[in-house]
Amino acid sequence: MTSTEATDLGRALCIITGASRGFGQTVAREMSRLVKPGSVLVLTARSGDELRALQAELAESEAGRAGLVVKCVVADVGQMEGLEGIVRAAKEAFSEDIDHVILVNNAASLGDVSRYAKSFTDMAEVDSYLSLNVSSSLCLTASVVQAFPQRPGLRRTVINITSLCALQPFRSWVLYCTGKAAREMMFRVLAEEEPDLRVLSYSPGPLDTAMQMVARSKTADPNLRKSFSDMYAHGQLLTCEASCAKLMKLLLEDNYTSGAHIDIYDV
Ligand SMILES: NC(=O)c1ccc[n+]([C@@H]2O[C@H](COP(=O)([O-])OP(=O)(O)OC[C@H]3O[C@@H](n4cnc5c(N)ncnc54)[C@H](OP(=O)(O)O)[C@@H]3O)[C@@H](O)[C@H]2O)c1
């Protein structure tokens, strides 16, 4: 630990998309332990039962007993009404005591990885993927930045969960690579425009989640599919907990360059 590293994230309002399972669920659990009493988590995804189960778990935890408030918003982030519902819930949950607003843009889909780029002739299919994976995170982030404007004593942190696919092409993953690359540039522009915002694109590494299962079973490119299967078979996938611990370390240290892409293996 560096001498300047904080031990908590402050009295925070944390908005976490894709909190129903996988990495987002782990981020919610870890953040609940690192925020001060009086903080609020706004958890969102389409699966209401899973969100409510997490809400109940956190209410029973030490943080819950110490006064953490957990709100669930069942919403599709690919739809404008979904985004509006999330922002509304966040505004309702905000109070003047909050000193840190944290948005974690985690929700994403892999897209159809069973086909190669030349098969994507249907513009509506591509638009729908980009709407969920790119437009939604720009519009949600912009709405949150507007809803909680800069003011003395308020820190604002925006996190983009990214991937190596934002930087490198992977065969048969044209939608995912395109979406992650576009999303990352969007956050880099935001970091340039809003110097008081803390903007981080965190690449969590290969995680043992539902998304990985789809990757190793559906990927069209045989070499890529085999590399995912081998990673799974040889126990090389990371747990969400191990990866999330690195993200929390970055947030507590708070000395990354705003807008940077930081890979788990660099932490
Ligand atoms: N797994 C990996 O190896 C890996 C590697 C690098 C980066 N990542 C990134 O890490 C993040 C989390 O991935 P994961 O592996 O945890 O994926 P996951 O297990 O598939 O979980 C995805 C989450 O996003 C939510 N989501 C999906 N579509 C949604 C929609 N239309 N509206 C609202 N929520 C939606 C899902 O909830 P509902 O289905 O309940 O809506 C779920 O909570 C993603 O950004 C992913 O790209 C993953």
Side-chain angles (χ1 to χ4, degrees):
M1 190 193 284
T2 63
S3 56
T4 53
E5 183 179 322
T7 53
D8 64 70
L9 295 168
R11 186 161 293 117
L13 168 65
C14 308
I15 306 158
I16 304 167
T17 69
S20 60
R21 62 169 189 260
F23 192 65
Q25 186 184 54
T26 303
V27 169
R29 286 195 181 111
E30 296 302 315
M31 280 193 164
S32 76
R33 296 188 186 114
L34 289 174
V35 294
K36 283 186 171 163
S39 295
V40 185
L41 299 191
V42 176
L43 308 179
T44 177
R46 292 165 304 175
S47 309
D49 289 349
E50 281 77 359
L51 284 183
R52 284 184 287 271
L54 180 58
Q55 182 184 38
E57 175 195 317
L58 297 178
E60 289 299 307
S61 70
E62 203 181 318
R65 292 195 303 272
L68 175 78
V69 174
V70 182
K71 305 229 170 227
C72 295
V73 183
V74 180
D76 183 340
V77 293
Q79 304 293 325
M80 200 57 218
E81 313 84 76
L83 298 188
E84 285 164 355
I86 298 166
V87 177
R88 204 178 313 120
K91 277 180 163 167
E92 282 167 13
F94 187 78
S95 72
E96 289 305 312
D97 298 339
I98 299 287
D99 58 23
H100 196 179
V101 173
I102 305 175
L103 169 63
V104 186
N105 285 283
N106 166 79
S109 65
L110 200 51
D112 187 352
V113 290
S114 71
R115 294 147 55 202
Y116 291 96
K118 68 181 178 191
S119 77
F120 287 90
T121 50
D122 179 0
M123 222 160 109
E125 180 187 8
V126 177
D127 284 350
S128 151
Y129 181 83
L130 295 176
S131 178
L132 167 58
N133 289 282
V134 181
S135 313
S136 77
S137 77
L138 174 54
C139 297
L140 178 61
T141 304
S143 303
V144 168
V145 167
Q146 276 193 34
F148 306 105
Q150 180 184 15
R151 67 157 168 76
L154 183 67
R155 295 163 65 199
R156 300 181 302 164
T157 303
V158 174
I159 300 155
N160 169 37
I161 303 303
T162 188
S163 161
L164 184 59
C165 296
L167 309 177
Q168 281 180 24
F170 285 74
R171 289 171 188 230
S172 66
W173 282 33
V174 68
L175 293 180
Y176 191 76
C177 292
T178 303
K180 287 297 190 197
R183 215 163 124 143
E184 205 164 299
M185 181 51 82
M186 189 194 101
F187 284 97
R188 287 176 62 189
V189 171
L190 184 70
E192 290 287 328
E193 290 178 353
E194 307 287 337
D196 71 293
L197 269 188
R198 300 287 290 138
V199 181
L200 172 66
S201 281
Y202 175 69
S203 181
L207 306 172
D208 193 3
T209 64
M211 189 179 277
Q212 265 290 328
M213 199 175 65
V214 178
R216 68 177 168 269
S217 54
K218 297 270 191 317
T219 295
D221 183 73
N223 294 330
L224 188 58
R225 194 173 62 243
K226 183 172 184 315
S227 77
F228 286 124
S229 296
D230 287 352
M231 266 195 279
Y232 175 67
H234 299 139
Q236 288 163 341
L237 295 178
L238 304 171
T239 63
C240 290
E241 288 73 20
S243 182
C244 188
K246 301 280 186 171
L247 172 60
M248 295 305 129
K249 183 175 186 300
L250 284 166
L251 295 180
L252 291 171
E253 287 176 355
D254 197 32
N255 58 13
Y256 55 86
T257 302
S258 191
H261 168 115
I262 301 187
D263 191 278
I264 179 175
Y265 297 113
D266 299 331
V267 184

